Amino acid sequence: AGGGTLPGVELGSWAVSVVHPERSAAALERALRLGEVPVIARIEDGVLLVDLRAVPETDDPLLRGLIVTALAP
């Protein structure tokens, strides 16, 4: 749902799920949040989701690199 002046409005969006065979969604979320550039994600049903609503396409390569770094051992 939306926020601010339109809390009841549903906002369309896309999200990328990030999974790792050995690390929990919480561990991945923490790694992203504490990275060089913080990435704020959410966990739903045990899966880490990175919502792309506020990420311009020009930042896709940066976001990809931050996710790859968070997945690294």
Side-chain angles (χ1 to χ4, degrees):
T5 60
L6 301 171
V9 175
E10 290 293 322
L11 300 175
S13 184
W14 292 89
V16 174
S17 62
V18 181
V19 295
H20 190 280
E22 298 172 1
R23 296 175 66 196
S24 69
L28 294 173
E29 184 276 333
R30 179 177 167 79
L32 283 171
R33 186 171 29 88
L34 298 177
E36 180 180 335
V37 176
V39 175
I40 305 303
R42 69 180 187 274
I43 299 172
E44 285 187 16
D45 299 322
V47 177
L48 181 67
L49 298 174
V50 178
D51 194 316
L52 302 177
R53 180 183 314 150
V55 179
E57 280 186 45
T58 55
D59 285 348
D60 285 353
L62 172 63
L63 181 59
R64 179 187 179 280
L66 294 167
I67 292 171
V68 167
T69 299
L71 290 169

